[in-house]
Each structure stands twice: as C-alpha cells, then as structure tokens.
Amino acid sequence: MKAVQIMAPEQLKVIEMEKPAVDKKDHVLVRMTAAGICGSDVGIYHGSNAAATYPRIIGHEMVGRVEVVGEAVTGLKVGDRVIINQVTSCGECYPCRIGRGNVCDHLAVRGVHIDGGYREFIVVPESDCYLLPDSLSDEEAVMIEPTTIAIQSCSRAELGKDDMLLILGAGALGSTILKVAREICDHIIVADIVDGKLEEAKKNGAEHTINVLTEDLEEKVREYTGGHGSTVSIDASGTRDSLLKLLTVTGNAGRVMVMGFSTAPAEINQFLITSKELDVRGSRLQNKKFGEAIELIKAGKLDLSGSVSHTFPFTKAQEAFDFIDSRDPSIRKIVLTFDNPV
Ligand code: MN
C-alpha cells in the first residue's frame, strides 16, 4: 500500500509499505477514505512542531471504512464508516487514572508521535473508532476532529449558560470554538484583526465582535460585559502577548484557557492572576470527545457542511501542502481523498 511520509522537515515522500494486518482480537482494519490536513500537519512538514518525530506518516483527522474486524470485536462490522481517535494513552499513569488520558505521561498521538492516517490502511483498536452519522460525507466528517478540540476547551473552561465568553482569534480554531460554545452560552464576544472573519463570527452567533487593530480590547470587553470583564476567555490566537491580554480583560474569579504550542517565553504579570484569583488552564487535544461531537451533529446543533474548500488525492499530498503554503484566501479545510472502490 501507499503512504505519505515526512522523512525529515520539508521532505515529503509517497512511499510503498506493507499493508497492516489485524493482529489483536479487539482491533479492526480500516480502509482510509478521507484525511484532513491540519495546521499541525503543516507544522510537522515544515519542522516547526516540537512534539513530532521523524520519519512520520502524518495525518490525525482520519476517516475510513472498516474492512476487517478482529474476532473479539462486538461494536463494529465490515463496511461501517468511522472516524478514528488520534489519542493513544497508557491507562496506568496519574493522568490516565484520573480520566485524563489526553495528557497521558506516555501520550502517543497518531500522526505525531506514531504513524497516522495518510495511508491506505490502518489497524486500530475498536474502541478508537466512532461511527459516523449518515448525514455527513467522509470528507466533511474529518471536521469532527477539530470540533472535538473545541469541545475540549469549553469543557476544560467549565463553560456555562451564564458565562460571558471571550474568544480571541476567529481562525479555524476560534470559529469552531464559537460553533460549539454558542450551544452552551448566550454571551459570546469574538476578537480578531480581520473584519471579514468578525462578520462571519457575528453570523455564527457572536453577540459582539472586536477588531483589536482598530478598537481597544480592554475597553470594549468591559463595555460588553457590564463592566465586569469576561468570565471565561479562550486564547485561539496563541500570539506572544495574547495571554497577557486575556489575563487583563478577564474579570474576577474568571477562567483563562491556553491552547498555544509556542515555546517562546511570554511576559505576564502575577498580580493579574492573584488579585482576580483567575484559573489559568491548558487545553490539549481532546479527551474522548468524539461521541459528544457526533451527538451535536445528529441533533442538528452543529453544521459542518461547507467547511471543506478543497480535496486532493492523497498521493498528491505535496501539491496540497504547496497550495496551503500559497496562503490562497479560498483555503478553509483541505482534505486528502483515497481512490477506493466502495
Ligand atoms: Mn486537527
């Protein structure tokens, strides 16, 4: 079978490798049908992802059809359409024991630390597969994975109905967080530097928007929250000064969510956290949130249609990554497809 491997930064190759076999009773063989390209895949390709190791078959937004089931598999049958959980954990360390396997001490993410889904076939445990609703195409279904990341951040923030939420950044992550958050909370402010993205955020349920290039973030957040400040702030921008900004605009007893992967030091000040008794929390990957994302879709509360802007056959991955580097404004989600007889 063929696979897309990043041999080393900037070196992408389509390789030939042996098709995997179901060697454990509770595992299944999945024939890949669609795999999303995420910002983190682009980072591994360019060598800017600190977590990745090489050579690596990348791709963690993995959709396919079950082709072979192990003898102990009970919940899946041949032909089932599934999305695959990218997080694998040991089940025994402290985070795993308290139910937080997404930050397992021995965390292995498919497509980052171990091989992922840019290949024709993958073998995974049955428990890592989630059945897709019929309403979604395989290409659209890759968007379930980014949705789980958004659900994770809202869950870590303990977002509630009465919260006054500020989302900083209206890109791929911020706009997905908005779609998830509006099902939970009524008061959402979105801040960005691009008017077009802010207009879209308004259409998608933001109560207020702030262009931080032309408006004062602190003043506007105070105005839109009756003087208190946001009660929850989520950083979906990850810039050098974004954490300091959010510590400043979040009100007393609020929660500030950090999701960035930069290892560069950022300046903050202790008094902002101490004086307001803020909770500053990280949100990484997702903790078994696929079921929740699929339930939102089934209930008609989350519409993923129109999210995919381009598709490329997976053997043309180089072209797809080059196209992403062109920063063409039409780019939203790009999906690799697999020419499979169904
Ligand atoms: Mn992703």
Side-chain angles (χ1 to χ4, degrees):
M1 69 170 189
K2 288 188 166 54
V4 173
Q5 194 174 52
I6 307 299
M7 318 297 291
E10 311 291 352
Q11 284 180 46
L12 182 154
K13 254 196 184 155
V14 178
I15 59 162
E16 235 359 283
M17 67 183 291
E18 206 174 315
K19 179 180 166 181
V22 174
D23 51 1
K24 292 197 183 86
K25 287 180 181 172
D26 60 345
H27 281 43
V28 297
L29 175 78
V30 176
R31 180 191 278 270
M32 294 291 302
T33 55
I37 302 181
C38 180
S40 63
D41 296 311
V42 178
I44 297 171
Y45 170 55
H46 286 308
S48 60
N49 185 318
T53 49
Y54 302 87
R56 181 65 53 230
I57 296 170
I58 56 172
H60 61 270
E61 301 175 356
M62 303 171 277
V63 169
R65 275 159 215 260
V66 175
E67 198 157 284
V68 177
V69 297
E71 55 188 85
V73 169
T74 54
L76 289 175
K77 57 184 190 316
V78 173
D80 279 344
R81 298 165 66 230
V82 295
I83 184 158
I84 298 168
N85 186 359
Q86 80 278 41
V87 175
T88 73
S89 49
C90 76
E92 278 154 33
C93 66
Y94 169 74
C96 282
R97 289 200 311 270
I98 64 164
R100 290 173 62 182
N102 59 311
V103 285
C104 167
D105 287 348
H106 310 283
L107 179 72
V109 178
R110 295 194 172 96
V112 181
H113 312 100
I114 56 175
D115 284 341
Y118 290 177
R119 50 174 154 163
E120 288 177 272
F121 298 94
I122 187 168
V123 169
V124 293
E126 170 187 20
S127 55
D128 281 342
C129 295
Y130 294 83
L131 281 171
L132 295 177
D134 293 336
S135 61
L136 276 186
S137 70
D138 290 12
E139 287 81 10
E140 287 166 344
V142 305
M143 289 299 296
I144 294 173
E145 190 275 339
T147 304
T148 64
I149 308 300
I151 292 174
Q152 178 73 12
S153 67
C154 293
S155 150
R156 287 279 296 144
E158 296 174 80
L159 188 66
K161 189 160 180 50
D162 296 330
D163 274 311
M164 291 181 288
L165 169 66
L166 168 67
I167 303 170
L168 184 62
L173 177 60
S175 58
T176 310
I177 292 172
L178 171 61
K179 285 184 186 174
V180 169
R182 73 182 174 193
E183 292 303 321
I184 303 169
C185 130
D186 298 329
H187 310 289
I188 305 176
I189 306 166
V190 175
D192 199 279
I193 55 173
V194 180
D195 281 330
K197 289 183 182 173
L198 293 172
E199 278 159 33
E200 210 177 303
K202 260 264 164 75
K203 273 187 225 146
N204 285 327
E207 191 178 26
H208 303 283
T209 58
I210 301 168
N211 187 323
V212 294
L213 284 184
T214 54
E215 295 173 291
D216 186 273
L217 181 70
E218 194 177 351
E219 193 180 292
K220 283 291 166 186
V221 170
R222 208 178 303 127
E223 180 187 328
Y224 295 147
T225 57
H228 174 82
S230 47
T231 62
V232 172
S233 300
I234 301 181
D235 186 3
S237 69
T239 58
R240 210 165 59 88
D241 60 350
S242 54
L243 180 54
L244 178 60
K245 272 187 193 150
L246 292 187
L247 295 175
T248 306
V249 303
T250 305
N252 291 359
R255 283 93 75 202
V256 176
M257 302 306 305
V258 180
M259 303 181 77
F261 268 78
S262 168
T263 54
E267 208 155 88
I268 57 166
N269 91 62
Q270 299 182 13
F271 189 66
L272 288 170
I273 301 174
T274 311
S275 63
K276 296 190 279 190
E277 215 172 55
L278 298 177
D279 286 335
V280 181
R281 299 178 188 168
S283 180
R284 182 174 190 187
L285 298 161
Q286 51 80 30
N287 190 12
K288 300 203 164 109
K289 299 297 186 191
F290 284 92
E292 225 172 287
I294 289 167
E295 284 313 310
L296 280 176
I297 294 161
K298 279 188 182 164
K301 291 176 175 174
L302 189 72
D303 182 11
L304 299 180
S305 60
S307 311
V308 177
S309 60
H310 302 81
T311 61
F312 288 77
F314 89 107
T315 47
K316 298 264 166 65
Q318 183 70 59
E319 276 174 39
F321 279 77
D322 290 347
F323 181 58
I324 289 170
D325 284 346
S326 77
R327 295 180 177 273
D328 189 291
S330 68
I331 294 175
R332 295 167 72 86
K333 175 58 82 180
I334 298 188
V335 174
L336 300 178
T337 57
F338 299 72
D339 267 335
N340 298 318
V342 176

